[in-house]
Amino acid sequence: MEPDAGGSLYEVRQKIYPRAVSGIFAKWRWAMVWLTQAVFYGACWLPWNGRQALLLDIAERKFYILGLVLWPQDVFYLAVLLIICAYSLFLFTAVAGRLWCGYACPQTVYTEIFLWFERLIEGDRARRMKLDAQSGSLYKYALKSLKYLVWILFSAWTGITFVGYFTPIHNVLAGLVHFNLSGWETFWVVFYSGFTYLMAGVMREQVCKYMCPYARFQSVMFDPDTLVITYDEERGEPRGASKKGADLKALGLGDCVDCGICVQVCPTGIDIRKGLQYECIGCAACIDACDQVMDKVGRPRGLVRYSTENAVEKHWGTKDIIQHVLRPRILLYTFVLCAICLAFAWSLATRTEVRLDVIKDRTILSREVEGELIENVYILQLMNAGEQIRHVKVSVEGMDGISLDGRSEFTLPATDNKVATIRVRVPMENLKKGSHTIYFRVDSADGEKLGVHEKAVFIAP
Ligand code: SF4
Ligand code: SF4
């Protein structure tokens, strides 16, 4: 489309001043804010076995999660965890729309926190609008400066905490105090702080409206039995101002008093009365707001409520809605999700702490050695993913007369690995020319079977 002369290709942003709201869903939102932030700001301070309980040590290529030490070889667990997260998102979206966006998405949570600071310093909607409309005054600059300072401090603490999951948090703080943080640590503290400030302080609803891909494809997960935040048009229209106890029939009005409060509390600035819109993040602030209005005018709550397309159309009650929400698709999703979670937990619980990687030493080819033996050389990487020192014994099998020459017992330090060069010998009389499959085994030096083995190839010239 051609822009008008002197016009813009983009719509000018109308600043949104969300009004504070209280109610049951606001309580849930704040409960999620407290929960997610207590975990985020608190978990990096938890000690475990003399180290940080949650530490993603990228330099050492080890992830510490409580008693679990994950190596790069454990990328499988990360992949399964991502599958579980994606699947949970599908399930929750199919049940009740944008639950994630409305209650747990970092964008929602941080915007809520930044807004809370803003209200505390500048006041609620009307006062903030008045303040912004004022021409520059000392009072205005003082309030704005205080707000920006609080936002910057909060963002900085968020950036420090974020880096504290990759470098022990005590070291990050010491590095800050003594000005000796590494270049990368400094970069990430600054980047993550700036990112938090930009997303929650400046961009806010624009992230949800224009940047988030989830808003665009979430509708494919909806069906007419998905719970979404709905305005009951049949009950609310025709809208119009009316007093408590007024005879609505006689006035020819519906229950909506057209107060606009549902729009004023909306963090994305939309009007839920226009129907389901992709900008709606499902925060339910408009439900709380409208319920309060209905209480004031003495009408039943729920003019704006969680409901389904079918329920509104067919006038279903709560029992029918629940029955249809728990439809076969949801039960199947739940079953599959539970099965994946159980398999994941079982796999973690039964995972062996000792691992083995075998690489054939390509610098030393198969060779004949004293005693009419053929020798192949291998490099073994023995890993101890546990937090106890391990004494292990390596053995080899798979061919008649196969044996190891040299050292076969090793001590593996806790959460560390050892690289060993191993020579394997087979009597020439037992060999045919070509490649043969053999197996390396690792067991405890005291004879306890660990069940760790790895396939390799023995080459006979
Ligand atoms: S808050 Fe309720 S009554 Fe007021 S405009 Fe919105 S829907 Fe209508
Ligand atoms: S329309 Fe209601 S639920 Fe949707 S974003 Fe606005 S306030 Fe939240």
Side-chain angles (χ1 to χ4, degrees), residues 229 262 265-272 279-287:
I229 291 160
C262 52
V265 296
C266 178
T268 61
I270 59 166
D271 187 344
I272 190 65
E279 296 98 331
C280 172
I281 58 167
C283 68
C286 51
I287 300 184

Side-chain angles (χ1 to χ4, degrees), residues 231 255-263 273 289-290 293-294 303-304:
Y231 166 68
D255 277 347
C256 175
V257 292
D258 206 14
C259 59
I261 293 178
C262 52
V263 183
R273 295 171 299 172
C290 190
V293 175
M294 289 299 109
L303 177 57
V304 181

Side-chain angles (χ1 to χ4, degrees), residues 54-221:
L54 205 62
L55 183 67
L56 313 176
D57 192 338
I58 290 178
E60 290 282 320
R61 294 193 293 164
K62 279 178 230 162
F63 289 181
Y64 300 92
I65 303 165
L66 302 177
L68 200 67
V69 185
L70 298 176
W71 292 61
Q73 287 81 350
D74 293 314
V75 70
F76 158 78
Y77 292 109
L78 187 65
V80 178
L81 199 62
L82 290 176
I83 291 172
I84 291 174
C85 292
Y87 212 85
S88 307
L89 193 64
F90 291 153
L91 173 63
F92 294 135
T93 307
V95 172
R98 296 177 71 176
L99 276 184
W100 162 257
C101 301
Y103 297 90
C105 172
Q107 181 60 26
T108 306
V109 167
Y110 282 97
T111 303
E112 191 87 41
I113 297 171
F114 272 58
L115 258 172
W116 182 78
F117 285 131
E118 189 170 276
R119 284 191 192 112
L120 205 65
I121 296 165
E122 294 183 356
D124 201 12
R125 180 182 153 86
R127 283 189 58 196
R128 296 203 308 275
M129 289 171 86
K130 201 170 149 199
L131 190 73
D132 279 2
Q134 269 178 24
S135 56
S137 69
L138 202 60
Y139 175 69
K140 178 175 174 173
Y141 288 131
L143 283 189
K144 293 274 173 199
S145 306
L146 179 62
K147 178 180 83 174
Y148 296 141
L149 178 69
V150 172
W151 280 1
I152 289 169
L153 290 176
F154 183 77
S155 303
W157 189 243
T158 308
I160 292 166
T161 305
F162 175 74
V163 173
Y165 284 101
F166 298 91
T167 300
I169 187 81
H170 291 102
N171 297 0
V172 178
L173 289 183
L176 279 169
V177 171
H178 299 109
F179 296 103
N180 61 1
L181 270 190
S182 74
W184 276 114
E185 286 160 353
T186 311
F187 168 79
W188 282 108
V189 169
V190 173
F191 178 82
Y192 203 82
S193 309
F195 187 74
T196 307
Y197 186 99
L198 185 71
M199 293 288 137
V202 181
M203 308 269 300
R204 292 191 176 173
E205 80 290 346
Q206 299 194 89
V207 177
C208 310
K209 277 166 119 171
Y210 307 118
M211 290 166 70
C212 176
Y214 179 54
R216 311 281 158 171
F217 71 78
Q218 38 127 2
S219 55
V220 298
M221 290 177 254

Side-chain angles (χ1 to χ4, degrees), residues 234-430:
E234 205 177 302
R235 183 184 144 191
E237 300 296 315
R239 65 187 79 159
S242 59
K243 289 198 177 130
K244 189 172 182 177
D247 184 350
L248 294 177
K249 262 197 184 151
L251 291 168
L253 290 174
D255 277 347
C256 175
V257 292
D258 206 14
C259 59
I261 293 178
C262 52
V263 183
Q264 292 173 16
V265 296
C266 178
T268 61
I270 59 166
D271 187 344
I272 190 65
R273 295 171 299 172
K274 291 181 182 161
L276 186 62
Q277 296 147 76
Y278 81 89
E279 296 98 331
C280 172
I281 58 167
C283 68
C286 51
I287 300 184
D288 281 334
C290 190
D291 280 348
Q292 283 178 359
V293 175
M294 289 299 109
D295 289 348
K296 272 187 199 147
V297 294
R299 292 169 204 166
R301 289 179 161 210
L303 177 57
V304 181
R305 62 180 184 272
Y306 272 107
S307 190
T308 69
E309 199 184 311
N310 276 337
V312 172
E313 237 177 69
K314 299 172 188 171
H315 304 102
W316 285 344
T318 311
K319 201 173 150 209
D320 286 327
I321 295 176
I322 292 172
Q323 271 173 4
H324 284 83
V325 165
L326 300 177
R327 54 206 182 276
R329 177 186 165 199
I330 299 301
L331 297 178
L332 182 69
Y333 279 1
T334 311
F335 174 76
V336 173
L337 183 62
C338 290
I340 298 175
C341 289
L342 282 176
F344 181 67
W346 179 81
S347 163
L348 270 180
T350 58
R351 121 192 207 278
T352 53
E353 289 184 340
V354 175
R355 318 280 177 76
L356 171 65
D357 264 356
V358 181
I359 305 163
K360 181 118 179 42
D361 188 346
R362 303 211 177 268
T363 59
I364 305 171
L365 292 173
S366 179
R367 63 189 173 191
E368 187 182 335
V369 293
E370 205 183 325
E372 301 208 323
L373 298 166
I374 296 295
E375 181 181 90
N376 278 204
V377 182
Y378 301 83
I379 295 168
L380 267 56
Q381 189 186 20
L382 294 153
M383 290 162 274
N384 179 8
E387 300 201 74
Q388 310 294 330
I389 294 174
R390 289 252 185 193
H391 303 288
V392 296
K393 185 173 170 43
V394 177
S395 58
V396 65
E397 58 191 41
M399 294 175 74
D400 287 343
I402 194 166
S403 62
L404 293 180
D405 181 59
R407 191 176 163 200
S408 64
E409 291 196 16
F410 301 90
T411 298
L412 307 180
T415 72
D416 211 339
N417 68 347
K418 185 154 258 176
V419 176
T421 302
I422 300 271
R423 294 192 302 276
V424 175
R425 291 176 171 183
V426 179
M428 281 167 77
E429 64 199 29
N430 299 342

